[in-house]
Amino acid sequence: MSTLDWALIEMWREAGIPLEAALRGIDAAFDKYEARQKRARMQRINGLAWCAQSVMQAAVELNEAATGSATGSVTDAATARESGFEHERVAQH
């Protein structure tokens, strides 16, 4: 991972983006990439910045899904529990 990737992860953590939303967004970006035809694959994925828009979309969808639930918004739930980006957890992974 590049320095830019780590900075992006830190930005997501500080913004309160839950790990689940980050992983969903990354998966969605790669699924979209894989769905394209092989000859259209001129551009390669070279960092997490390629997935940033999908991560933000997943965070919005997760927040909208939590609307009306007993736990409140995703950002409230994220502050009440671990974000998934704790140093020890990332280092262990």
Side-chain angles (χ1 to χ4, degrees), residues 18 21 57-69 72-76:
Q57 181 63 34
V60 167
E61 290 171 0
L62 199 59
N63 194 16
E64 288 175 356
T67 302
S69 69
S73 70
V74 171
T75 54
D76 292 340

Side-chain angles (χ1 to χ4, degrees), residues 26-37 50 53-54:
I26 292 168
D27 284 343
F30 276 91
D31 288 346
K32 183 178 178 181
Y33 178 79
E34 291 293 323
R36 298 187 323 183
Q37 294 180 357
W50 199 85
Q53 190 173 14
S54 295

